Amino acid sequence: MSVWIAIGATAVGCYAAKLLGLSVPVGMLERPLVKRLVTLLPVALLAALTAQQTFSDGGALVLDAKAAGLGAAAAALLLRAPFLLVIAVAVLVTAAVRALGWAS
């Protein structure tokens, strides 16, 4: 039963957040600082999620195959590779590091 309470609370919270966003005055949304924050916030959240998923394991800092793949993807981005190639490079490097047994 507690799962359904959590689902209901999440649904109500999402609805309230959406309603709060729709009730913000238009003048507030037109401010340059708000526009800049709205464009940068998703990038910052995605970067934080990527770092947390790549470099932590149960609260401990780890450097494994995921870190090697992320490094390879960063290198491909610096070389201005197309996005699909960046993903392919990250996948291949991660798989190679795991296959060679250099990291788990």
Side-chain angles (χ1 to χ4, degrees), residues 59-86:
L61 178 66
V62 293
L63 292 174
D64 59 359
K66 294 180 289 188
L70 184 64
L77 281 173
L78 288 174
L79 294 173
R80 299 191 184 270
F83 185 69
L84 288 178
L85 182 62
V86 171

Side-chain angles (χ1 to χ4, degrees), residues 17-50:
K18 183 78 168 180
L19 186 62
L20 181 65
L22 292 173
S23 65
V24 174
V26 176
M28 179 178 255
L29 298 175
E30 295 298 323
R31 295 180 183 169
L33 178 64
V34 173
K35 284 184 176 182
R36 184 148 171 85
L37 286 175
V38 166
T39 57
L40 294 178
L41 191 61
V43 175
L45 289 173
L46 184 59
L49 179 63
T50 302

Side-chain angles (χ1 to χ4, degrees), residues 80-94:
R80 299 191 184 270
F83 185 69
L84 288 178
L85 182 62
V86 171
I87 299 298
V89 166
V91 168
L92 291 173
V93 169
T94 302

